[in-house]
Amino acid sequence: MAIAGSAPATATPMPTAAARPDGTRLLEMQAVAAPADDAAEPRPPGDDAAWQRLPMPDRWRDSRPGFGGSVWYRAQVDFATAPGTPWAVYLPRAIMNAEVWVNGVLAGRAGRMQAPVSRHWNTPLFFTTPQTLWRQGPNIVHVRVVGHADGAGGLAPPQIGRADRLADVHARQVFVQNTLVYAANIAVIALGLFVFAVWLRKPERGDYGYFSAGALLWGLSNFNMIVSDVPLSYFHWELFVFVSIVWALLALGLFGLRFAGRHRPWLERAVVIYALACALVLWLSGETGPVRMGAWWLLPVLALGAWSMFQIVAFVRRVRLADYSFFAVVATATLSLGAHDWLLQTGMLDFEASYALPFMAPLLLAAIGWLIAGDYARAQQDLARMNTELADRVRQKEDELRESFARVADLERARAVSAERSRILRDMHDGVGTHLTSAIRQLQSGQAQASAVEQTLRDSLDQLKLSIDALTLEEGDVAGLLGALRFRLAPRLESAGLSLRWQVESLPAWPGGHTEALRHVQYIVFEAISNVLQHSGARTLTLSARPEPGPGGTDDIAVRVEDDGLGCTGLAEGHGLRGMRTRARAIDATVDVAGGPGGGCAVTLRLPLRQISATHTA
């Protein structure tokens, strides 16, 4: 026996779809209707029910006109293997509310399924299911939809897939259909209250009054798209929502006419009469009236809106102001979206399409608010002139500040030059001065050999030349610094009987290699070479430099001075090594001393390829 509102039973098999993790859309399902007085906790009908195979989406006004109650949908989903993670059933649109069953087990329900039914007609529904509900092979998915006898009920193609993948799809759709609508409503209501306050201060501006009424009613009516549980019955809530939309559009149409200078008292009286008649007729039409008859009551409202927009465009072309032109463009687009929503309301568009007019409301009302602000601005020419004078004074002060900044920059450059001179004098004192003082003491002692005094003076001269070379180096040029050392010290190495092996590879620029840091590097390498000349007794000196992985996981520039002499004992105990390490710490570098492969000594300076901190170079 067929249940009321359902089609005759057919022998067609149950639609089957293969489960895919990214989502399987059930484009065909079987459906069977149940009466409105269904049990409080119904279970899915069995195979003996009057199941009818149909394509999805299923719009009730087409498949079962005038029906109100529950419709069960089912389809078979085949799994190649049992899922190892939670899966989900995603319903892009179910009017008015829905619940999901998997293999005879209730998987999820969105609020109340009995009167008053929770309103999720514009909210995508997402039901996460544990993997234990699904099994390898065939699985039966039931979706129960509850709707009213107004023709608006229906179900879009459900999607089945892994929960983590469908969750992103659901979140995006909720953001568009609910979150953005909520934000738009708040913005519209806030703007309406602001303009209402302005109208109270200037009651002669009737256009402001119409605008504030339209904005407030529009914002309130759009909460129908996001509120699931309302304090009124279904009929009274639908009546309130639709009447609010009609009155909002009529108020905005009258605002547009007044704004364009087309004030017609007789038309405004006719609009008020039409608004009251609309509310009365729909109230007397019963439960299905607002949805069944509402679209046709909107036709005269849209006609008034079109005429209002035409008058606005004509007015904008006369005044030729930028903000007015922007408003005309936005108003025209709003009218187009209103026509789109009217077609969707009458069932002429895709069942899964979204209402577009709520998203245009903030832009339209912002454009109107811009016009109001522009009218006030243009009415205050004196204030504009004061702003111009103030801007001139600000520019004058900016010029004075610019000159002041230029003077400060000159002083800063002078300070930098002075600091550079101080550093040069300090290097002269610490380097050349120290060597000259040592030579004087050697001569005064009367015990120093002439060769030792000569060596000290040569070190002093080399230090002076290298300090001068450092002033001409580009920042970060370690290879250039080593090349200058080779040029200056090669004659001394040759005269001392030392053979120089040069193994400097192509080096990247050292980020910390400013002039002061390069001087520290120069001193460290020079000191290491001087120790080889004075203490090692070596025949060969190897100077190498290459990028190497550092101990901290980042690359360094490794500069290494090796010899085949007596070893590192004298260097490790001397003051020279302590000086090298002190200078290395100043530039975030490290100095390591170890025995060479041939029994000599190797001094390694590691320069980090990262920007050194200012506190290390001060």
Side-chain angles (χ1 to χ4, degrees), residues 38-44 70-73 89 91 94 96-102 105-114 125 127 141-146 155:
D38 206 350
E41 293 290 339
R43 298 190 60 81
S70 299
V71 174
W72 286 90
Y73 301 83
V89 179
L91 305 181
M96 185 68 62
N97 198 16
E99 63 184 19
V100 172
W101 296 67
V102 176
V105 177
L106 179 64
R109 174 182 295 154
R112 293 192 303 268
M113 298 292 288
Q114 289 79 35
L125 300 179
F127 302 98
V141 176
H142 288 85
V143 179
R144 178 185 175 221
V145 176
V146 177
L155 178 67

Side-chain angles (χ1 to χ4, degrees), residues 153-346:
L155 178 67
Q159 296 185 42
I160 299 172
R162 278 181 45 176
D164 55 347
R165 299 187 181 179
L166 287 185
D168 292 337
V169 178
H170 172 255
R172 287 194 298 269
Q173 202 63 24
V174 167
F175 178 77
V176 172
Q177 293 183 205
N178 298 101
T179 306
L180 284 183
V181 172
Y182 182 83
N185 288 350
I186 297 300
V188 168
I189 292 173
L191 186 57
L193 291 173
F194 169 75
V195 178
F196 179 73
V198 175
W199 176 68
L200 290 178
R201 298 290 300 271
K202 296 179 69 68
E204 68 275 12
R205 292 298 303 265
D207 52 345
Y208 289 178
Y210 283 129
F211 172 79
S212 62
L216 293 173
L217 288 169
W218 195 343
L220 291 175
S221 66
N222 282 338
F223 278 106
N224 179 54
M225 305 181 72
I226 54 178
V227 174
S228 59
D229 297 300
V230 297
L232 303 176
S233 66
Y234 170 77
F235 167 71
H236 290 97
W237 176 257
E238 290 289 336
L239 180 65
F240 164 76
V241 169
F242 186 79
V243 170
S244 296
I245 293 174
V246 170
W247 287 8
L249 295 177
L250 291 174
L252 292 176
L254 294 178
F255 160 78
L257 293 177
R258 283 214 176 192
F259 176 79
R262 295 292 188 266
H263 179 206
R264 300 291 186 269
W266 65 267
L267 178 61
E268 294 184 3
R269 288 193 294 269
V271 167
V272 172
I273 294 172
Y274 182 85
L276 296 175
C278 173
L280 179 61
V281 171
L282 292 179
W283 180 54
L284 296 175
S285 64
E287 181 176 348
T288 63
V291 175
R292 179 170 46 85
M293 303 172 55
W296 305 110
W297 278 94
L298 276 175
L299 281 178
V301 178
L302 294 177
L304 175 65
W307 185 41
S308 174
M309 296 305 167
F310 174 80
Q311 296 297 332
I312 289 174
V313 171
F315 175 72
V316 168
R317 293 183 62 182
R318 291 196 302 271
V319 298
R320 295 185 180 277
L321 294 173
D323 49 353
Y324 282 37
S325 300
F326 172 69
F327 169 73
V329 172
V330 174
T332 304
T334 301
L335 184 63
S336 301
L337 294 183
H340 167 274
D341 287 2
W342 181 80
L343 293 174
L344 181 59
Q345 179 74 17
T346 56

Side-chain angles (χ1 to χ4, degrees), residues 398-418:
E398 287 178 347
D399 293 338
E400 293 175 1
L401 287 174
R402 194 176 295 109
E403 294 175 1
S404 177
F405 290 153
R407 289 193 297 270
V408 171
D410 292 339
L411 292 174
E412 182 64 23
R413 283 192 293 270
R415 189 200 64 79
V417 171
S418 175

Side-chain angles (χ1 to χ4, degrees), residues 79 83 85-89 100-102 105-108 126-134 160-163:
F79 280 74
T85 59
W87 278 52
V89 179
V100 172
W101 296 67
V102 176
V105 177
L106 179 64
F126 187 80
F127 302 98
T128 302
T129 62
Q131 62 266 33
T132 54
L133 278 184
W134 307 90
I160 299 172
R162 278 181 45 176

